[in-house]
Amino acid sequence: MKNTKTNKSNESNDSIVPDVDNPGTEFNPEWIDDIRVNLSAVKRRTSTLTARRTVKKEWQAAWLVKAISCIDLTTLSGQDTPGKVRRLCAKARTPVSLEIQKELGIHDLNLTTGAVCVYHEMVPTAVKALKGSNIPVAAVSTGFPAGLSSMEIRIQEIKSSVAAGAREIDIVITRAHVLNGNWQALYDEVKAFKKACGKAHMKSIIATGELSTLNNVAKASMVSMMAGSDFIKTSTGMEPI
């Protein structure tokens, strides 16, 4: 199998991965107004996915390896403890047993997950456990999962997690901005979050299960990208889909 690992190096976990940065654009309401989602076409398209043939054998293994390298291994529970986070980090370092890796001929890829995602309180524990691996620590922030804290507190959450060593910040948007069609407010909010992230990557969780329509999902995604989001994530995992 070819090396499917990307953007990995021997850098320490204290460095910032420089491969992605979306500088954003000026707010352009015309881009939002032009978005239309054909729901019938979406349903027809998605109904065909389960009937399609998948790749087989070594190609399937290659895609699975790639998928593992993109996973944010996550624990977001009231039962999280330093020990639980350390075990998760150990799994992130070796997500597939060395025996299986040797069998697949990928043991030289240094396969890891893409990141480990935790609450702010567990960031220092995760950073220490992942030191030397170049696996970034991601922290959920900005009043996750509801995003209803004050703007001042949400901004400070980001800064605190970055200062603690988080290299990726998962922000949650204010769903009311989307539901009320207040796209300028959403843009200003996400842009302020991006500024607070500094050199850390910012992933915007738009909580699709609470946005009512696919038009809203598409528009919220576009606004988030305009405001500088490096990645879009669909769900907090805690709202109905």
Side-chain angles (χ1 to χ4, degrees):
M1 291 175 59
K2 292 184 178 180
N3 189 333
T4 58
K5 201 72 172 172
T6 59
N7 299 316
K8 294 293 181 182
S9 70
N10 292 322
E11 298 176 39
S12 74
N13 194 57
D14 299 324
S15 63
I16 298 296
V17 180
D19 57 335
V20 175
D21 179 52
N22 174 17
T25 67
E26 295 296 323
F27 179 69
N28 187 337
E30 292 182 0
W31 292 3
I32 311 305
D33 294 339
D34 288 343
I35 292 176
R36 299 287 187 278
V37 176
N38 185 328
L39 184 58
S40 296
V42 170
K43 288 182 176 179
R44 285 196 303 272
R45 180 68 170 176
T46 55
S47 69
T48 68
L49 296 179
T50 56
R52 293 184 176 214
R53 295 181 62 188
T54 61
V55 293
K56 302 295 184 182
K57 298 182 179 179
E58 67 269 22
W59 300 107
Q60 185 179 54
W63 277 110
L64 290 172
V65 168
K66 182 61 177 177
I68 290 170
S69 73
C70 295
I71 289 173
D72 283 6
L73 204 57
T74 301
T75 182
L76 298 171
S77 168
Q79 296 178 314
D80 287 346
T81 63
K84 181 179 179 182
V85 170
R86 284 192 289 268
R87 289 191 294 273
L88 191 75
C89 291
K91 185 66 174 177
R93 284 176 176 269
T94 312
V96 177
S97 72
L98 295 179
E99 290 77 9
I100 293 177
Q101 290 189 46
K102 289 179 181 178
E103 185 70 22
L104 292 173
I106 61 170
H107 57 282
D108 60 339
L109 297 185
N110 297 318
L111 178 65
T112 69
T113 62
V116 169
C117 183
V118 294
Y119 278 117
H120 167 75
E121 187 68 18
M122 293 297 166
V123 169
T125 298
V127 168
K128 184 177 180 180
L130 293 172
K131 188 173 179 62
S133 70
N134 201 40
I135 302 171
V137 173
V140 292
S141 193
T142 65
F144 178 92
L148 292 177
S149 304
S150 70
M151 193 65 175
E152 181 181 6
I153 290 174
R154 296 168 83 189
I155 292 291
Q156 188 55 52
E157 273 190 81
I158 294 173
K159 292 180 178 179
S160 296
S161 290
V162 172
R167 293 160 57 193
E168 298 182 357
I169 299 294
D170 288 14
I171 64 105
V172 288
I173 65 171
T174 299
R175 276 68 117 191
H177 293 333
V178 178
L179 298 174
N180 293 329
N182 194 343
W183 304 115
Q184 180 70 61
L186 178 61
Y187 174 86
D188 292 342
E189 174 182 87
V190 176
K191 188 172 183 179
F193 292 159
K194 179 63 181 284
K195 181 179 179 181
C197 285
K199 293 183 179 180
H201 292 163
M202 186 179 78
K203 294 176 283 184
S204 292
I205 304 173
I206 61 174
T208 57
E210 296 178 338
L211 299 188
S212 297
T213 69
L214 289 183
N215 277 328
N216 280 343
V217 170
K219 291 179 179 183
S221 299
M222 178 61 74
V223 172
S224 296
M225 288 187 285
M226 279 195 283
S229 297
D230 297 308
F231 300 91
I232 302 294
K233 298 183 78 171
T234 56
S235 173
T236 64
M238 299 182 185
E239 81 270 7
I241 301 298

